[in-house]
Amino acid sequence: MSKLKTCILHTVLTIGGLLIIFPFLWMIATSLKTGIDIYNLSLIPKNPTIKSYLQVLQSTNFLIWFKNSLVVAAITTASVLFFDTLVGYTFAKLDFKGKNFLFVLVLSTLMIPTEMLVIPWYVMTNTFGWANSYWSLLFPGLTSAFGIFLMKQFFEAVPNDLLEAGRIDGLNEFGIFLRAAVPLIKPALAALGIFTFLGNWNAFLWPVIVVDQPELYTLPVGLAQFSGESYNQWDLVMTGASIATIPVLIIFFIFQRQIIEGIHLTGIKE
Amino acid sequence: MKLSIKGKQAMWAYIFIAAPLLFFLCIRIAPTLYTFNLSLHQWNVLSPDKPFVFLQNFTDLFQDDVFWTVARNTAVYVIGSVPVGLLISLIIALMLNSIKKGESFYRMLVFVPYVTPIVAIAWVWRWMFMKQGGIVNHVLGLFGIPQQPFLDSTTQAIFVVISNIVWQNLGFYTVIFLAGLKQISKTYYEAASIDGASPWQQFKKITIPLLNSTLVYLIVMATIQTLQVFTQVYNITAGGQGNPGGPLNSTLSIVLYVYQLGFKSYNMGYASAVTVVLFVIILLITLLQLKFLTKKYDS
């Protein structure tokens, strides 16, 4: 390819890339401005200040919401990693009656859209007295059919000889799963974990339905509520948005490789 | 009783899957059936009477003006965002695939929006597209274009939301397209070049057909995802009177309507009927698209 063509491509990509990250820059820039300055449309604040960060953190429940999101996402991710891996392994490597039927049954639940389930979940939550607890927030996500499917794919590539060796060494089936099989699919495990965590961290539909006490809001619900109330105080709203976004950006930059590889692994395998 | 090796393995298998299976039965399958059942009842949380009305909810639905508005809006969300989003990301992927250096850097830039919280970015959008003082109107002003009402307009608001959906999903599509492109062997292009095929011909005859399965996957996935749009609409167009459906419901989506019916008016029987309709649409589209798109390139 000619030098000129490469040069044009890079120029287009750089401009496009800047356009794509502009909303983030604009969000952070606004959060560092104050008063009338926020209407001064420059990307670099004249007098950068963290005043609105202090105000948001002191006068709202942001830190509590942050903690709630962290707890819910962490528990859900741990549960998904454990059960999806175990069930994926079982469907891939163990023989038992009804295996195909049960696998299809699990997989068919992928066709059900979440909004079809939220009303029954809500009724369940009220009937069983789960309302306003962490449990009510996290019970719908404890395992995922998609994760089971994904893990099954990966375990199928694990050679049977390895598992047999474990059996000869006298490990029980759970020991074989944990010691012989799981270590071989670590990249898939990382991808599933990161995606489950991010998905739950960003979740909105179910949390906004189920929780009505501000102390139990997750970050997205709290942010939506807070922004609605602080309408037109854009420095505060953008500060809230930054507080919710920056941790995710940090996670992304740390695990970038795993996240993108994870998408390759999940998206290509059909 | 002593179990054979096979029997022992089966026993372990049942132990491993027991709890998750119970979960799927109680948290996915039973609730789905319950929703079908609810949709046949006049079911309101506030009233103790929940009579069986058979298909009444569905016949009501077809005479409900708001439902038709919502159905039309949702169609606009899909038609407005899926082709544009896929086209832009295909172009980005093609560009990234043809540069030698910096691919992972640009890919990272494009991908960032996909992992960030929708709620946070929705509010950034709102701030950018504000009628007075928003940066978009400011930039338009620099080019001499008159100020636009955007979120206050019954015709523009939905496109502001669409731009947000497109922006947020570009990175995901791009990464999938790139993976698809990388699987196409370079020898095809070399052979075609020797035969004198132009880049456009190569794209049409090699890239598109070989990218078919990726394309099918993305179209189906993006369509289904957009049919369920909720968070963006809720946060970008929530009005001052607590009506998140935009001016005159012009941005109200199916799922947001379900939310209002079920959790604001507590009319859960009717809301369930709407979700059943959405479920059927999703099912049909999946089947149709898969059939239509796989057939086209089979020969």
Side-chain angles (χ1 to χ4, degrees):
Chain A
M1 201 167 40
S2 70
K3 260 215 164 104
L4 179 73
K5 226 167 143 190
T6 315
C7 194
I8 292 173
L9 274 179
H10 277 279
T11 313
V12 174
L13 282 168
T14 306
I15 293 172
L18 282 175
L19 272 175
I20 279 172
I21 57 160
F22 177 79
F24 294 111
L25 302 177
W26 191 233
M27 169 183 83
I28 292 168
T30 310
S31 75
L32 296 172
K33 293 174 183 173
T34 180
I36 195 75
D37 256 3
I38 61 167
Y39 294 101
N40 172 5
L41 301 163
S42 72
L43 256 185
I44 296 153
K46 241 186 267 152
N47 312 299
T49 163
I50 56 162
K51 215 185 87 198
S52 35
Y53 283 85
L54 296 176
Q55 193 180 338
V56 166
L57 290 177
Q58 278 163 4
S59 63
T60 70
N61 289 331
F62 254 91
L63 288 177
I64 296 175
W65 302 335
F66 202 92
K67 190 195 86 193
N68 293 342
S69 278
L70 205 61
V71 170
V72 170
I75 295 179
T76 313
T77 306
S79 168
V80 164
L81 280 180
F82 178 73
F83 285 115
D84 284 17
T85 315
L86 189 60
V87 177
Y89 172 79
T90 308
F91 280 129
K93 289 295 176 191
L94 297 183
D95 263 330
F96 56 100
K97 253 194 204 130
K99 180 164 136 174
N100 287 337
F101 169 75
L102 291 175
F103 182 63
V104 171
L105 189 75
V106 168
L107 217 56
S108 68
T109 62
L110 277 175
M111 299 291 278
I112 309 166
T114 314
E115 50 279 5
M116 206 174 170
L117 299 168
V118 291
I119 292 172
W121 288 346
Y122 184 79
V123 175
M124 277 168 87
T125 305
N126 286 338
T127 314
F128 300 136
W130 296 343
N132 291 312
S133 64
Y134 279 145
W135 173 251
S136 69
L137 277 166
L138 57 84
F139 82 86
L142 289 175
T143 56
S144 103
F146 173 72
I148 290 175
F149 173 69
L150 189 70
M151 289 299 138
K152 177 176 178 277
Q153 301 278 93
F154 283 101
F155 279 122
E156 263 161 8
V158 171
N160 284 326
D161 297 353
L162 249 138
L163 309 179
E164 281 308 324
R167 278 187 195 111
I168 290 163
D169 286 350
L171 287 173
N172 66 28
E173 290 297 327
F174 189 74
I176 295 168
F177 158 75
L178 203 66
R179 305 244 186 98
V182 169
L184 296 174
I185 55 136
K186 271 188 189 147
L189 220 55
L192 181 63
I194 294 164
F195 277 105
T196 309
F197 188 89
L198 287 175
N200 279 283
W201 181 267
N202 296 340
F204 187 67
L205 176 62
W206 176 239
V208 80
I209 287 170
V210 78
V211 180
D212 51 25
Q213 284 177 0
E215 299 78 46
L216 267 173
Y217 284 169
T218 57
L219 200 49
V221 179
L223 178 63
Q225 189 69 29
F226 167 77
S227 305
E229 282 162 11
S230 328
Y231 194 62
N232 276 342
Q233 290 175 278
W234 289 105
D235 45 346
L236 297 185
V237 175
M238 287 306 104
T239 302
S242 303
I243 296 175
T245 306
I246 291 169
V248 180
L249 291 183
I250 294 173
I251 293 185
F252 175 69
F253 285 120
I254 298 174
F255 294 109
Q256 210 205 115
R257 204 172 49 85
Q258 283 90 338
I259 291 178
I260 299 211
E261 266 174 22
I263 295 215
H264 282 192
L265 298 173
T266 55
I268 309 312
K269 298 217 168 193
E270 278 169 62
Chain B
M1 195 183 81
K2 206 149 163 61
L3 286 166
S4 64
I5 293 183
K6 265 211 142 145
K8 228 172 168 177
Q9 208 182 77
M11 182 196 76
W12 279 102
Y14 292 125
I15 295 173
F16 289 167
I17 58 172
L21 268 185
L22 198 68
F23 171 89
F24 280 105
L25 280 177
C26 300
I27 310 294
R28 294 277 188 280
I29 296 168
T32 308
L33 301 176
Y34 188 70
T35 300
F36 279 113
N37 179 43
L38 276 185
S39 72
L40 304 176
H41 288 78
Q42 192 181 337
W43 208 101
N44 193 306
V45 174
L46 306 173
S47 112
D49 240 12
K50 300 169 173 33
F52 177 78
V53 295
F54 196 43
L55 297 177
Q56 181 74 45
N57 284 327
F58 293 94
T59 48
D60 284 355
L61 206 61
F62 290 107
Q63 281 149 22
D64 175 357
D65 286 341
V66 183
F67 175 73
W68 286 113
T69 308
V70 159
R72 205 194 56 220
N73 290 344
T74 306
V76 174
Y77 281 120
V78 173
I79 297 164
S81 72
V82 176
V84 176
L86 290 181
L87 186 68
I88 299 177
S89 35
L90 180 57
I91 294 172
I92 300 175
L94 285 168
M95 288 199 285
L96 290 182
N97 198 35
S98 60
I99 58 172
K100 288 191 188 71
K101 265 189 223 153
E103 181 198 321
S104 59
F105 173 73
Y106 294 120
R107 192 183 55 186
M108 177 194 80
L109 286 188
V110 185
F111 195 74
V112 175
Y114 184 71
V115 291
T116 46
I118 302 177
V119 175
I121 294 310
W123 283 89
V124 177
W125 235 250
R126 221 168 144 153
W127 163 224
M128 293 198 313
F129 281 92
M130 223 174 47
K131 191 162 80 177
Q132 269 157 354
I135 184 132
V136 178
N137 258 336
H138 180 79
V139 171
L140 289 181
L142 295 181
F143 292 99
I145 299 167
Q147 305 291 286
Q148 300 296 319
F150 292 129
L151 294 169
D152 291 341
S153 151
T154 53
T155 49
Q156 291 177 3
I158 196 167
F159 291 99
V160 174
V161 181
I162 286 175
S163 70
N164 179 273
I165 299 173
V166 170
W167 174 81
Q168 191 140 37
N169 288 319
L170 276 185
F172 182 79
Y173 303 156
T174 305
V175 168
I176 302 271
F177 271 134
L178 254 178
L181 288 173
K182 294 239 183 293
Q183 286 184 328
I184 303 177
S185 164
K186 288 230 165 25
T187 51
Y188 291 124
Y189 295 104
E190 282 156 13
S193 294
I194 293 166
D195 289 346
S198 72
W200 172 246
Q201 280 173 322
Q202 293 180 21
F203 175 73
K204 232 172 53 180
K205 299 279 181 200
I206 301 172
T207 313
I208 289 294
L210 289 176
L211 215 53
N212 185 41
S213 68
T214 308
L215 218 55
V216 172
Y217 169 74
L218 281 178
I219 293 175
V220 173
M221 207 208 58
T223 305
I224 292 176
Q225 217 176 41
T226 315
L227 280 172
Q228 303 177 57
V229 62
F230 169 76
T231 310
Q232 288 94 337
V233 190
Y234 181 105
N235 285 287
I236 297 181
T237 65
Q241 293 80 40
N243 173 20
L248 297 174
N249 285 336
S250 61
T251 62
L252 193 62
S253 69
I254 292 186
V255 178
L256 188 51
Y257 190 43
V258 169
Y259 172 78
Q260 291 185 339
L261 286 171
F263 302 98
K264 294 292 156 205
S265 349
Y266 294 109
N267 199 348
M268 294 187 165
Y270 195 56
S272 298
V274 180
T275 64
V276 168
V277 172
L278 181 61
F279 173 69
V280 172
I281 295 174
I282 290 178
L283 204 67
L284 286 179
I285 288 185
T286 315
L287 297 176
L288 253 175
Q289 279 183 327
L290 284 173
K291 204 172 166 189
F292 168 72
L293 277 161
T294 37
K295 228 182 194 165
K296 208 165 154 190
Y297 290 106
D298 253 1
S299 53

